[in-house]
Amino acid sequence: MPKLYVVATPIGNLNDMTPRAVEILKTADLIAAEDTRVTMKLCQVFDIHTKLTACHRHNEEEKGEWLADKMLEEDLTVAVTTDAGTPCVSDPGWGLVSACVERGIEVIPVPGCCAAVAALSVSGFDTREFAFYGFLPREKKDLHAKLLSIARGVPVAVVHESPYRVTDLVQAICECIPETVLSVSCDLTKLHEKTIRGRCGDVLAELKANPKTEKGEYCLVLDLHGVALPETEKHDEQLSTEAKLTERMAAGATLREAQEMLIAGGEKKNAVKQAALNLKRMFE
């Protein structure tokens, strides 16, 4: 019977590669890798000679369907990996996993490293309840709306960010939800890993003062237990969707931009679209 193994790989320190992961990669018929060049280097370290095929963010839907069919036809055991960490967690893999699930192919996790979980574990926060958001929107309006939506919804949030935008992200957090306490981890498991903890303003100052901030990958944990949302947001929750659109348009947004802001802030897409149609009819 065909099987798909979802194999976690190290996020920096090669000693974190588990013996089970090595064994699965050695005995699989095929490895579906995010980047075959990166996974080839890992295979060389652990003397793995299994054939590789590319299954990345830009082809994983079509490739997943094709590969799942091939697994059934040829009774193949496949291992899916990403460049670092756990597939499907802010990384490619879901296309192949979904295709296998739809076809009744057994999908088996081979757990290991995950940057988000590693960052949570060293944050010092109460992480019994948390949500993972991956990378947040880049546009300022969308980012602010998303941050406020997160603050309304969960006590602890985990996000990823590149070294080139991490300072801007923390600046946005300070502007939207200044009471947030942060744990910001960089280069987890690597030689120069570092975690900064504190009020978002203090963390921002430390990031700005560090000339090496724009190096390494970041994982941020936001402790939102003590956050009080602005009064304008509390008022906003009581408004109709049409009124929310109108307020944003009065502040300078187009109707389309206002819709996108509400959706990014957690409003239901269909409700926002209907409200936009209602406004259009009112002014025809």
Side-chain angles (χ1 to χ4, degrees):
M1 293 293 290
K3 289 185 177 69
L4 176 67
Y5 288 94
V6 182
V7 182
T9 55
I11 58 177
N13 193 321
L14 289 177
N15 289 327
D16 291 332
M17 187 73 167
T18 68
R20 183 181 176 216
V22 173
E23 181 63 21
I24 292 297
L25 294 183
K26 283 184 174 181
T27 57
D29 297 306
L30 185 66
I31 298 173
E34 176 182 5
D35 187 328
T36 55
R37 296 165 297 180
V38 173
T39 302
M40 178 63 76
K41 293 177 182 178
L42 184 72
C43 289
Q44 289 171 347
V45 171
F46 292 99
D47 194 31
I48 297 166
H49 304 284
T50 306
K51 183 179 178 181
L52 301 171
T53 187
C55 190
H56 48 72
R57 190 176 307 281
H58 302 293
N59 78 345
E60 66 171 320
E61 290 191 61
E62 292 182 1
K63 188 66 173 282
E65 297 284 335
W66 174 84
L67 191 49
D69 287 337
K70 186 178 178 67
M71 291 169 69
L72 284 173
E73 291 168 6
E74 302 180 22
D75 192 21
L76 298 178
T77 294
V78 175
V80 59
T81 65
T82 57
D83 294 347
T86 301
C88 305
V89 182
S90 199
D91 269 326
W94 70 267
L96 178 54
V97 172
S98 177
C100 286
V101 169
E102 288 176 359
R103 289 161 176 77
I105 297 172
E106 186 176 9
V107 180
I108 304 166
V110 182
C113 295
C114 175
V117 174
L120 279 164
S121 72
V122 298
S123 68
F125 302 151
D126 179 354
T127 58
R128 288 174 291 181
E129 261 190 271
F130 68 89
F132 174 67
Y133 292 89
F135 288 90
L136 298 182
R138 295 187 185 184
E139 293 296 324
K140 189 172 182 179
K141 285 183 180 179
D142 294 340
L143 175 57
H144 282 209
K146 187 64 176 178
L147 287 170
L148 289 169
S149 174
I150 290 171
R152 285 197 294 268
V154 297
V156 174
V158 191
V159 301
H160 287 165
E161 191 51 275
S162 79
Y164 306 106
R165 295 193 298 272
V166 67
T167 300
D168 290 339
L169 173 57
V170 176
Q171 177 74 52
I173 293 170
C174 289
E175 293 171 1
C176 290
I177 37 178
E179 299 93 346
T180 305
V181 179
L182 292 174
S183 176
V184 179
S185 295
C186 177
D187 278 338
L188 284 163
T189 79
K190 297 178 182 177
L191 182 62
H192 299 294
E193 77 172 49
K194 182 179 179 65
T195 296
I196 307 169
R197 304 175 185 85
R199 305 282 291 187
C200 62
D202 296 331
V203 170
L204 178 62
E206 189 164 346
L207 288 172
K208 287 183 174 180
N210 183 359
K212 296 183 178 180
T213 290
E214 291 188 356
K215 293 183 179 180
E217 296 299 320
Y218 285 84
C219 194
L220 294 78
V221 184
L222 289 67
D223 186 353
L224 302 163
H225 284 95
V227 169
L229 291 175
E231 288 299 322
T232 53
E233 287 302 309
K234 292 179 182 177
H235 165 69
D236 194 55
E237 291 176 359
Q238 299 172 359
L239 296 176
S240 69
T241 308
E242 288 83 358
K244 294 176 188 178
L245 287 171
T246 303
E247 279 199 347
R248 283 154 180 77
M249 291 167 66
T254 65
L255 179 58
R256 180 178 293 277
E257 288 172 342
Q259 290 179 73
E260 291 172 352
M261 290 166 68
L262 289 187
I263 292 168
E267 298 284 341
K268 291 183 178 179
K269 190 173 183 179
N270 289 340
V272 173
K273 285 187 174 182
Q274 184 59 54
L277 287 173
N278 293 342
L279 286 178
K280 286 180 178 179
R281 293 191 187 106
M282 287 172 63
F283 294 102
E284 282 180 350

